[in-house]
Amino acid sequence: MSQSIRRAVDLIRRAAEHPLSLTEAAQVLGVHKSTALRILQTLESARFVRRTGAGTYVLGSGIIELSELALGSMDLRQFAAAPLRVLQRETGHTVHLAQLTGDEIIYIDKVDSPAFDAVKLPSRIGRAVSIYASAVGKIILAYLPTEERDRLLSHVVFERFTPTTYADRESLDAELVRIREQGWAVDNGEHDTYVMCVAAPIRDVRGRVIAAASMTAIEVIANLDQLQGSLPLLLDTANQISRELGYTCDNG
């Protein structure tokens, strides 16, 4: 199995260097042409390679997309680390950084609040968050192009986790309009009744909202109104991270 994976990696590398014929692909893989064709078709379906009009194979956009996502995640977390930790110290709340990765919104950083020593939040780095029942999910959804937002939500099976969940597309769309108008989002116990959250958008050099920073508290420690009292600090932090990524008001 490891040898097969290595050969597939070699195949992708060759396709990145020059157009690859089916004959050459079979030689790299050490298999018959019919088997090589099936492997190439599998890679093509994942957009790791692309078939040209001449019948050869070149590097596909899927590899480039993965590279950009990986680099973006590393750069974003690096630039956001210090501002997020300052925000946590100033507010005392748990701070998250979440990013749209593929079709999921993933936590890529988290700074815990000492107040949660006794009760740990379920969030953790690398874990996907509900795309519609979270502040970070809604803030990212709100600013996506309509076509991309529709595509992501077409796969969602809406579930009412709590009485405050936006559990259908109509109510969620209305909430996303409000979020775009005010520039920030809240989670009023929409996935877990006891968890409150406020989130702000983070923009890249082209002005696209690619991530979100948030403050989270358990309701017995800080209710939503109290959490929103620190909203100016959160917005300043998100804007600082956006500037580090090259965003200015002129970009948008």
Side-chain angles (χ1 to χ4, degrees), residues 78-134:
Q78 175 186 352
F79 288 134
L84 291 178
R85 280 148 182 80
V86 170
L87 178 65
Q88 195 287 314
R89 288 196 298 270
E90 291 182 343
T91 64
H93 302 308
T94 292
V95 172
H96 293 101
L97 179 66
Q99 183 179 38
L100 179 63
T101 303
D103 291 347
E104 295 184 311
I105 294 173
I106 306 292
Y107 289 122
I108 63 172
D109 202 0
K110 177 184 180 183
V111 190
D112 281 306
S113 166
F116 289 154
D117 282 344
V119 182
K120 289 294 183 183
L121 289 171
S123 58
R124 66 174 183 269
I125 295 173
R127 181 174 182 174
V129 62
S130 172
I131 200 169
Y132 68 94
S134 66

Side-chain angles (χ1 to χ4, degrees), residues 104-175:
E104 295 184 311
I105 294 173
I106 306 292
Y107 289 122
I108 63 172
D109 202 0
K110 177 184 180 183
V111 190
D112 281 306
S113 166
F116 289 154
D117 282 344
V119 182
K120 289 294 183 183
L121 289 171
S123 58
R124 66 174 183 269
I125 295 173
R127 181 174 182 174
V129 62
S130 172
I131 200 169
Y132 68 94
S134 66
V136 291
K138 290 187 297 180
I139 197 77
I140 292 173
L141 272 182
Y143 288 99
L144 283 177
T146 302
E147 182 178 341
E148 177 67 3
R149 182 166 62 248
D150 289 344
R151 186 187 69 79
L152 289 176
L153 289 175
S154 68
H155 304 298
V156 170
V157 178
F158 285 92
E159 179 181 350
R160 186 173 296 283
F161 300 106
T162 74
T164 56
T165 306
Y166 293 92
D168 59 79
R169 184 64 191 271
E170 184 178 0
S171 64
L172 177 63
D173 282 344
E175 168 71 351

